Structures are given as C-alpha cells and as structure tokens.
Amino acid sequence: MSGSEKLEIADLTALNAIAAGSNKKNPRIVAAGIGGKLMGTKSLVTVTAEQLTEDLKHNNSLSQEQKNKIIQDVKDAKVANEVKKTEDATKLHISEQPWTLNNWYKHVNWLNFVLVIAIPSYGLFQAFQYPPCLKTLVLAFVLYAFSGLSITAGYHRGWAHKAYEMSTPVKWFFALFGAGAIQGSVKWWAHGHRVHHRYTDTNKDPYDARKGFMYSHLTWMLTIPNPKHRARADISDLIADPVVKFQHTHYMALLLLMAFIVPTVTAGLFWGDYWGGFIYGGILKTFVIQQATFCVNSLAHWIGKQPFDDRRTPRDHALTALVTFGEGYHNFHHEFPSDYRNALKWYQYDPTKVTIYVLSKLGLAHNLRTFSQNAIDQGRFQQQQKMLDKMRTNLQWGQQVSELPVWDREEFNTRAKKEGLILISGIIHNVKTFIKEHPGGQAVVRASLGKDASEAFNGAVYAHSNAAHNLLANMRVAVLRDSNPNNNTFAVQQQYLDDHAIYKKLS
Amino acid sequence: MSGSEKLEIADLTALNAIAAGSNKKNPRIVAAGIGGKLMGTKSLVTVTAEQLTEDLKHNNSLSQEQKNKIIQDVKDAKVANEVKKTEDATKLHISEQPWTLNNWYKHVNWLNFVLVIAIPSYGLFQAFQYPPCLKTLVLAFVLYAFSGLSITAGYHRGWAHKAYEMSTPVKWFFALFGAGAIQGSVKWWAHGHRVHHRYTDTNKDPYDARKGFMYSHLTWMLTIPNPKHRARADISDLIADPVVKFQHTHYMALLLLMAFIVPTVTAGLFWGDYWGGFIYGGILKTFVIQQATFCVNSLAHWIGKQPFDDRRTPRDHALTALVTFGEGYHNFHHEFPSDYRNALKWYQYDPTKVTIYVLSKLGLAHNLRTFSQNAIDQGRFQQQQKMLDKMRTNLQWGQQVSELPVWDREEFNTRAKKEGLILISGIIHNVKTFIKEHPGGQAVVRASLGKDASEAFNGAVYAHSNAAHNLLANMRVAVLRDSNPNNNTFAVQQQYLDDHAIYKKLS
Ligand code: HEM
Ligand code: HEM
Ligand SMILES: [Fe+2]
Ligand SMILES: [Fe+2]
Ligand SMILES: [Fe+2]
Ligand SMILES: [Fe+2]
C-alpha cells in the first residue's frame, strides 16, 4: 500500500482541542477578569482536550434515577442530616455533598446571589415605597428594550452564533447596553452559550434543562457547579474582536455605568428624579431583563412544541417569544443556531430578527445567515414522520397477508355462509358482526357472502372510502389458494376506478 | 373441479339492484306524491340496475374542460344565441341545450323557484316594512332551532345514515318540524342524500360540488337536471317506517301547518302578532334554515381542511359547523357517515351530536353508532402520511449512495485538500463552500479535510443535529471503495451515542 492510499482518521484529541479553543499557544482563561469571574465558573473551563476526549468514554448523561436524585437534593434540605452517614463526604467536591446546616453557605455563589436576588429584591422593596413618575418609566422601558435587544441581537445571535456581521457602531451599542443587562461580558456569555449548544441536555450543559425548571432558570448560577462537568468551546473569533476585548477588560466599570449611573443621572439631570432613575431605570430594568433572558434557558426548554426534533429539550412557544424579544422559537434555534431568525412566520413575534433586518437595510449589519428552506423543511418533515411512525405502530392494521392461513376454495365455500365470509382481493374476510353495522345496508353484504365481491367493493357497486378499506383489513381471516392476494386494497381500487374513469382528479 | 370448488363472483347487476332498491316487486317511485315532486327529480330516479351497471362502463366523470363548460353554460346567458348553430338542438334534453331567450323558462324548476327564492324574497321585503316584536323573534328562533335540528339530527343522521335509532315520539317530532323546514319529505331527502354519498363528486351526485359553489348550493334545485345522471339508492328501511310513510303522504299539509300556520297562529293567539308570526316565524325562519342546510352541500364542500381524505371535495370547517348545527366537519362525515358525531373534540361545535346524546340519556334514542377510534386514527394517519410523502418528494435529500461514483483512496487523498473533501460514514462530501458557513466554526472542518471524520461528526467532538445530517447528505460526491458506505448517517450517529452513552432518552 503506497502512502497515498492510506486513509487518515481525524485525530479526535486535536479536533477537540480546536473545538475547545485550547490549541492556542496561550490558552486564555475564559473566566479571567471581573467580567468572567462575575458568574464564577473558572473550575468548569479548566479542561484539556485530552480530558474532553476522555470524558466521552464515561457515562456522560444522567439516568432518570440520578436526575430525580439531583432534583431532590436541590429541593430538599432534609437530606442535609444524612451527610453523617457518608464517611468521606468531606473528600467530595462541595457540589457533590448534600446540603447541611454546616455547609450550605459553601454551596452558594454569593456574588451571583447579590446580583440576581439581593439587589433586585431591594429594588422591588423600594418600588413599593416610591411610586414611579411617567418619564422615568419611559426611560426604564427604553433602556430595557436597548439592553434586552443587546443581549438577544448582540450577545446571542451576533457574537455567540455569528448569525450576521455587526458594523462597529452596532457592536459598541450592543457591548455597552449589553453590559447594562448584568449578565456577564460578551466573552463569558457567548462561551457559556456555545457550550450549552454543544452539550445540550448533558452534564456539561451549564443550564442543563433536565435538572428541572428552577435549575435551568436560576439555580445553576446560584450554586457552585461540579468541576467534573468541565467543558469548553472555541471563542478565538471573539478574542480577536477588539470590542469584545475592551468590554471584557472594563466590564465592571461598564456595568456600573450602563446599569446604574446612566439611568440615575439621566432621570436626575433632566427631570430631577435621581432615586426613581436608580430604582426603576437601574435595578428593576435590570431585574426584568435578567429574568426574561433566563427564560430562554428555562421556559424555552420547558413549554411548547417540538416541530424539528423532540430528542432534546428545546421547544417553540409564543409565550416564551413574548418575554424574550423573540427567542421563544427555541426548537428551531437549536436546530439552526446560526440562522439570524428564530421565528419564520410573519405573524410570530421576533423583534430581534426585525432589528437585525432593519440594521442590515441601514447598512449596519451584513451577511445575514439563514439555513435553506430545504433544510428547514427536511427537519420538519423528519419530526412529523417520526410522530406518524409512532402513530402507525399504535394502530391495528389487520393481519399481514403472509401470516394468514391458506384455504382452498372448498373450505371457503363450506364455511362462508355459516361464518359470514366474503372474498375481496384474494383475501377472505369475516364480516359476520359487521353486517349489521354496514353503512351501506345489510342487504348488499348478505348478497355477497361466499362470493368474490372485489369489483362490487371497489367501485362496480360502490367505491369505498379509505375508512372502509381499513375496516376490511381488520376482518382478514385467510387467503384463498391461487387467488393472487393483494393486501394493498387501496391500490386495487384506485386501479379499478382509473380503468373505469369513475373518479377523476379535479386539478 | 367439483361443485364446491367453484368460486362465485358476486353478480354486479343483482347487487346494484339491491343497492338501488329496485329489486323489490313494486319498485316505489321515490319522487311520487307531493313531498317527492316538490323538489322534482322524477326523471333522475327512473333507472334500472342494468342501466346503473352499464353506466360504469362509460366515462362517468367530468373532464376539467367539460366542467368549465358547464359552469360557463350556467353563468353565461350569451351562449343562448348559439343555439341556432346546433341543428338538432331541440332533440337534446333541455338540460343539454344552451340557455336562450326562447327556452330559458324551460330550464327553471319553477316550483323550487317559488319555494326557495320568491317566497323568501317576499318575506325579506315585508320584514323591512314591519319591524319584529321580541316575543315573535323568540318564537322564530325556537322554531328555527327545532326545524334545523329536525333536519340534522332527524333527516340526516337519523334517517339518511341510520347513525342511531329514534324512539317513536322523537320520530314524530323530527318529521313534523322537519316538514316545517321546506326541504322535501324524509323519503325524498334521505334518498337524494344517500345518492350524494354514494356518488360524491360524479355526475350522479345531485349536488355535485365540482360544478361550482352556487350549483351545489342552489342552482342544482333551481334547474332541470339531466336525466342521464340517473341514480338510485336503497331506501327500503325508510319505506318500512310508518312515520316516514305518513309524512311523505301528507307532506303538503304538514308543510303548510308547520312552516306557516303554527307560527302565525301561535304569535297571533298569544300576543296578537299574526303578521309578524307569518313573516318572521314562518317565511324568514324557513329561509334561514334552507340556506343553512344548503351550506352543507356548498360551503362544506368548499372551505376548510381535509384531515381524512383529500381525493374528494368534503371539508372540515368551524364556520360551516356554526351555520349548520354542527354539520361542518364534513370531511369526517363523508368518511364515517354512520357515526352519530360530526365533530370529535369537545371544543368543536356540534349541537346535533349533543342533542342525540342527550336524547339517548333520556331513553329517547338508542344504539348510537360510532366508528372505532382506531379506524378514525387510521384515516388521519393515511392522509397525513400522504401529505408528508408529497412533502418528501419536493425536497432535496442528496444523491443516492448507489448512484455515486466509487473512488479509491488515492483519488480521495489527491483531491481532498484541493476540493475540500471530508469522509463521513464511508461517503465523500464536498464541504468547500460550506466551511465558511459552518456554525461550529471553520477550524474544525478545515482540520478534518481529507480525513475520516465520522466519529468526530457523530459525537466524539460534536453530536450533530438532524439538520446537520441533512446538509451533509446534500454534499455527497462519491463513495470510498471498500469503506462500507452507510447513507443512514442518522442511525450511525445514534449507534455511536448509544455506545458511548452520550445522550439518554429522558423519559
Ligand atoms: C365487507 C366489507 C365491507 C366494508 C368494511 C364496508 C364498509 C363500508 C363503509 C365504511 C361505508 C361508508 C361509506 C364509505 O366508506 O365511504 C360503506 C358504504 C357502502 N357500502 Fe360497503 N362495505 C363492505 C362491503 C360492501 C359490499 C360487498 C357492498 C356492495 C356489494 C357494499 C356497498 C356499499 C354501499 C352501496 C355503500 C354506500 C352507502 C352510502 O354512502 O350511502 N359494501 N361500506
Ligand atoms: C462536514 C460536514 C458538517 C456539517 C454539515 C456540519 C454542520 C453543523 C451544523 C448544522 C451545526 C449547528 C448545530 C447543529 O445543527 O447540530 C454544527 C455545529 C458544530 N459542528 Fe459541525 N458540521 C460538519 C462537520 C463538522 C466536523 C467535522 C466537526 C468536528 C470535527 C464539527 C464540529 C461542530 C461543532 C463543535 C459544532 C457546535 C457548534 C455549537 O453548537 O456551538 N462539524 N455543525
Ligand atoms: Fe437552549
Ligand atoms: Fe443559542
Ligand atoms: Fe356532502
Ligand atoms: Fe351525510
């Protein structure tokens, strides 16, 4: 065998290194800097390509039992007392230990707790004391829309999925207002999101929807994760982006500026409402965007239809779209992640898509990517076919002709009248109990007993519906010897109708 | 061959005689008596079983051309002048002659014209002069509901389809209030309706929906039909019913009594509104029921979905159901005619079904017939499968593996880098233009060029979606010699995932 005839198998470790972005000379640490640390997943991304490849060899998914256990652990603080039963519990990572009165505070990611629970709670409390003024509400709403769209059109479709190319001013806009949403830097966010897409519904999925609604919504970021569930995704394109780099480096300053200072100062300088600007334009606006975005991880993996693939958790639902600027067609999105659209129909709510489209018309966005209609329809077709196949196997279609006993004519003639047998398409059917039910009356069926009624059944008397053919198939009892049985009685009838031009297609 | 070994073929003429009811000693004339004559179709039912069987041998359906012609003829009075061109036009039956200034009045069924056009027009005209009083409106509405349900629950589902057995008081109720709907006697109506079901969408169909909306709604009964389109159905069960017999014999008297006298006298005696009773409770009530029922022949064959069979015209639509007491699920009904239900879901409007059900609970109706859920689901399945099959053939699935050229390894290795080729599942794919589009980034695909990337593609790096497999299939260019190509890359991946326990089904 000469050299050119060798078949090279792709090197999995090398490919995993590329896919994880760890093939670079100085593998950057995703969670570095305040922007990355914010959501605290350093241990999760410290992983080599060898480890990633190795991980494949172990059971990487949860059994139903394990799943129940995790949900139980998370919910049920009573488990705490059982820790004493486990001798070497302390040797386990904190995420593998049950919650106890002694260790519960170690389970919690306190920085995130402050950012997504404590501050918003304080804001809500203040809102009750301090009713808003209209101008401040309008400001809060505008900032909400700007920051929300910065996450969906910028962080998500633009950076994480490269669904289109942003012009530089658009990048700055999304990077600034995105920082105001307090969801981490683009770099951290897009990395986590790529991991989510690559490892959806496995332990490596940061917001693993199998672990329950609350886990995928909030709990995942409020608790310390298990470093065994390490994973990485390639973000070399993001590292090369100066806007992403700048935002990551100065994230904490940008966060304070965009989330709190801008609304406070705007409302204060223009209409003297500093406090309202802080509470409504700052804290509560951020709170609403956070919860809305979290819904993409929870609600979008929880309620709705699965028109493209039902093997994983993502789902399409108008309600989710409504609260997430159009990110609710999530079954589509997981199947076609780099499509700039989430909703395809004009009547479905997807303002993020509209924003991107308008930006492109203004020359501020380019190369909007879509999957071909063919690929989309193929997905829809396959899922529907799968449901239909399931439906078919749950229905009775009558015995297979090949499994039927073979009778000779004598046997048929002897038994026909007594047992109520009719021959159609070479197959003997027992119509005894059906005679009284026959929608075309008893007389015609009785007159056909013991006879070959193929022609009569197929159009010479009445061209029966599909329903009649289905009923017929479920009455099969035997095949007549040398009679050329045909179990596709539908086709036989169609042939008969065509031959006699009884029905013609209308268009 | 002994006698008992002979195979008897069902005698088609004999069976057609039974199905047409013409095997009886004294074949009754369906259109006899004022009740039958009313809608005037005597010539259409004077047909023998031999003729019916013979009819099959001729082209029994309309070509698109013939169809257009008929519609044209009906609409276009200008054709009239062309009659002189046809030498022997007068030898043709009036229905076969074009409309002319000399013969137009012969085309019209004047009795029906008076009953469904002239009288209602008079009623509408009067209504403008004479505003109704509330009590009379309530009376008209009650009579409308009684007469309407008598047609749908009585005439249609009860008598024409034997979908359940009516107790004698219920029969009298339906026969009386049904007469008030001015749609002919039960005997005439059910016969025509059985013919409609048996010959749907053929020339023998009295309200042949292929001839246009207006034809199936009204025109069919306002014009003299072609006696060539003769057809009969067995109604021996109806002839044996004393209530049907009585109603048929005394039809004209019952019509006048129920349609006009009862409302006039009721409104007159109780609240002095004789004229209002006559106009609103008599004429207009009848007009509304007539139009509503006609909608079953027109609208129900015109708008809506076809979940069970799309080869013929009947359709399911909520709007049709709304105006027809629930007869709008007509695609279902033509497939399962003797089911006492038309709508299956609780949220679909079918008051006729509810009426029958309540009657059965009161002991006034028995043996409510339904088709099995299995048969219904089979029909739904087949229609959906048919649509999916159509969808599949309209999509690109990539070249068949058997049609691909076979390359040896040398050829693959030589061309791979230059042309951008990757081997997956023994099939060579050209990914040149796709590299830039790859949602997982260019680097991993580039690193796989010229190599066998099966494992990487199927889960060792990333377990691709169905969408990715579909795209892949459309990039096929060749098969690698001795490499055991597998075009079901979906199955290959699933096997890989199962072997490595990467994804487990969640429930
Ligand atoms: C033995 C198996 C048979 C089955 C399962 C069967 C089933 C049915 C069903 C379900 C219908 C309702 C209408 C439709 O399907 O479109 C029907 C109607 C009818 N059948 Fe049959 N049938 C059988 C045999 C026959 C035979 C042997 C004849 C004639 C010789 C016959 C004559 C008719 C006629 C004339 C109608 C029309 C009723 C109407 O729509 O008003 N059937 N049959
Ligand atoms: C050559 C044919 C290929 C096609 C048609 C293809 C197609 C796709 C598609 C459609 C996606 C989007 C997610 C999905 O639908 O599953 C995707 C994602 C991905 N692909 Fe490929 N791919 C190909 C080759 C490869 C190879 C050879 C590798 C690795 C060696 C690879 C690695 C990935 C990774 C890591 C992702 C994850 C991206 C993410 O979800 O963030 N692909 N690919
Ligand atoms: Fe998701
Ligand atoms: Fe995404
Ligand atoms: Fe119909
Ligand atoms: Fe019917």
Side-chain angles (χ1 to χ4, degrees), chain B residues 6 8 17 29 39 60 66 76 86-87 109 132 135-136 177 198 204 317 319 340 361 378 389 429 445 447 457:
Chain B
K6 254 177 52 192
E8 219 180 319
I29 297 149
M39 302 291 177
N60 208 354
Q66 291 168 307
D76 197 351
T86 320
E87 287 288 287
N109 178 328
K135 282 184 184 165
T136 307
F177 284 97
R198 190 171 163 195
K204 288 187 190 296
H317 201 292
L319 187 71
Y340 83 94
K361 291 291 152 197
Q378 281 178 305
D389 288 347
H429 304 85
V445 183
F457 185 85

Side-chain angles (χ1 to χ4, degrees), chain A residues 196 296 301 330 334:
Chain A
H196 165 63
V296 181
H301 286 255
H330 205 58
H334 268 262

Side-chain angles (χ1 to χ4, degrees), chain A residues 15 19 194 197-198 335 337 371, chain B residues 422 424 431 434 438-440 444-445 448 453 456-457 461-462 464-465 468 471-472 475:
Chain A
L15 284 174
R194 287 183 186 177
H197 272 268
R198 189 168 163 198
E335 204 72 5
F371 279 77
Chain B
I422 288 186
I424 293 176
V431 300
F434 179 71
H438 183 233
V444 280
V445 183
S448 307
F457 185 85
V461 175
Y462 176 59
H464 281 82
S465 64
L471 292 174
L472 188 68
M475 299 175 195

Side-chain angles (χ1 to χ4, degrees), chain A residues 387-402:
Chain A
M387 300 314 289
L388 271 192
D389 289 346
K390 200 180 275 176
M391 191 171 167
R392 193 189 53 225
T393 55
N394 288 333
L395 293 171
Q396 304 294 325
W397 296 95
Q399 258 188 287
Q400 282 299 312
V401 165
S402 55

Side-chain angles (χ1 to χ4, degrees), chain B residues 27-38:
Chain B
R28 75 276 153 299
I29 297 149
V30 176
I34 188 74
K37 274 217 195 71
L38 211 53

Side-chain angles (χ1 to χ4, degrees), chain A residues 4-6 8 10 64 200 369 374 378 382 385 396-397 409 413 437 451-452 460 470 503 506, chain B residues 4-6 8 10 16 56 64 200 369 374 378 382 385 396 409 413 437 452 460 470 503 506:
Chain A
S4 66
E5 279 173 13
K6 254 175 57 191
E8 218 180 320
Q64 186 63 39
T200 313
R369 284 163 68 182
N374 190 65
Q378 281 179 305
Q382 284 159 334
Q385 187 61 62
Q396 304 294 325
W397 296 95
R409 290 175 176 200
N413 288 342
E437 305 270 307
K451 296 180 186 158
D452 182 349
N470 290 329
Y503 291 103
L506 281 175
Chain B
S4 66
E5 279 172 14
K6 254 177 52 192
E8 219 180 319
N16 269 319
L56 271 180
Q64 186 63 38
T200 313
R369 284 163 69 182
N374 190 64
Q378 281 178 305
Q382 284 159 334
Q385 186 61 61
Q396 305 294 326
R409 290 176 177 197
N413 288 343
E437 305 268 308
D452 182 349
N470 290 328
Y503 291 104
L506 281 174

